[in-house]
Every structure is written in C-alpha cells, then in structure tokens.
Amino acid sequence: MMTGNVVFLGLGISGNVDSSVVGPLIAIAAFLLASAAATLLARRTDGPPFGHRASNAVEFGLLAAATCIAAATTVDADGTSGYVTLALLAAAMSWRTTNVRQLGSVNVPTTVLNLTMLAGPATPGGVLAGAGDLRPRALAFACFLVGAVTGGLLLKIDLWVPLAVAALVSLLVGIGLSRARAALQSPEPAAR
C-alpha cells in the first residue's frame, strides 16, 4: 500500500526511527511510473485496458520477474534484490490499480480497504449511503482477508511461492478477461 510507503518515508526522513528512505522512494517512484505507463496504454486502447492482452502481459511479466528474483536469490530488504523486487511489485500493483480504476467502480477501491468497508461521510446520505451495495463490499472485504491469510501462509514456505501464486492468478484472470473482451467485441452472427 502506498499509504504505508509514504509513512515509512516520513519516518525515515525524520530520523527518529530506524527506517530507510530508499525503499519507500523506490516503491513510490515505481508506482507512479507504472501508473503513467498504464494510463498511456489506456489512451491507445478502445475501452478500459483491463482485460487487454498487452495490459495483462505487463502485469503478469512484472509479477513473474519478481517471482524469478525471489526464487533465484535471497531477497535482502536493503539490497539490490530487495529494491528490484520492491519496484516490480509496486509497479504491478500500480498497473492493476490504474487499470481497475478505469473501470469506474467506486464501490470496491483496489487499494483502500477503508473505503470498501464504509461509504464516506461526504457521500450524499452520510456514512450509510450506498448501504444497498453492502454485498459487493462484504465480498471485497472477504477477498482481501482470504488473500492476506493465504499470502501469509504461503510466505511460511518461501517468498517466491506467494509471488508465483499471484503471477499465476494474474495470468488466469488476464486470460479470462481477454476472452470475455474478445467475445464482447466480436460481431454477432447475422440473423437468418
């Protein structure tokens, strides 16, 4: 989450906590660069890039590269392997976030769980505005929780394992979205 990286950056700058500024800066820079690249691709595609083959390939490629680094080396948080892995994962998260946001769903933000759980006070109708859409919000919360528990359990094996699972899920979802997109764009057969 970029919120955490901004907090860690602030703690590192303050010097009051043993926190490096390099890692958060790398994550934030990779996040912003990937978002800019995803936005450029979105402008060149017809419709949202989520489900577009090129977009799916980029996200999978970023996750696969991070997986390969984690499988081939011991990832040192304050070393080159850690910084490269961090940059790849931040870029992959940003790529997905930018593409999902272009779908226009305000009910399930991709990076802010707080907004998923509650409609904001600034929303017309107050905190319970959008209460009719509690089902997708509850489903999103459950998915976040199940994903975190699964990732935590897989981390007990080794770092590359949850990264490989994330890359595989990204690939499978990308293939499914590409097929759905192609089906929507294909002309319907002529009626007889």
Side-chain angles (χ1 to χ4, degrees):
M1 302 293 181
M2 288 302 111
T3 305
N5 282 308
V6 172
V7 170
F8 290 132
L9 178 61
L11 292 172
I13 290 170
S14 73
N16 290 331
V17 176
D18 185 25
S19 180
S20 168
V21 298
V22 177
L25 282 174
I26 288 173
I28 291 167
F31 188 90
L32 293 173
L33 288 171
S35 180
T39 300
L40 287 174
L41 176 65
R43 291 181 183 160
R44 295 178 182 263
T45 60
D46 54 334
F50 202 62
H52 191 276
R53 286 186 178 135
S55 181
N56 299 338
V58 170
E59 182 180 341
F60 173 73
L62 291 166
L63 291 170
T67 301
C68 290
I69 291 170
T73 66
T74 300
V75 176
D76 176 20
D78 291 323
T80 303
S81 61
Y83 293 143
V84 172
T85 303
L86 176 65
L88 291 167
L89 293 174
M93 182 178 72
S94 175
W95 190 269
R96 177 181 300 145
T97 299
T98 301
N99 288 328
V100 169
R101 293 299 286 175
Q102 299 211 16
L103 293 174
S105 174
V106 295
N107 291 325
V108 185
T110 57
T111 55
V112 183
L113 185 56
N114 297 5
L115 294 178
T116 300
M117 293 169 55
L118 293 175
T123 305
V127 174
L128 293 179
D133 64 358
L134 288 179
R135 185 174 175 199
R137 289 173 185 269
L139 181 60
F141 176 83
C143 288
F144 274 107
L145 183 60
V146 169
V149 170
T150 302
L153 292 172
L154 292 174
L155 269 172
K156 291 182 177 187
I157 300 169
D158 202 344
L159 176 60
W160 70 268
V161 177
L163 296 178
V165 170
L168 179 63
V169 169
S170 172
L171 177 66
L172 294 174
V173 168
I175 289 170
L177 288 170
S178 292
R179 288 183 178 168
R181 182 183 184 118
L184 288 172
Q185 292 177 343
S186 67
E188 293 185 27
R192 293 184 187 205

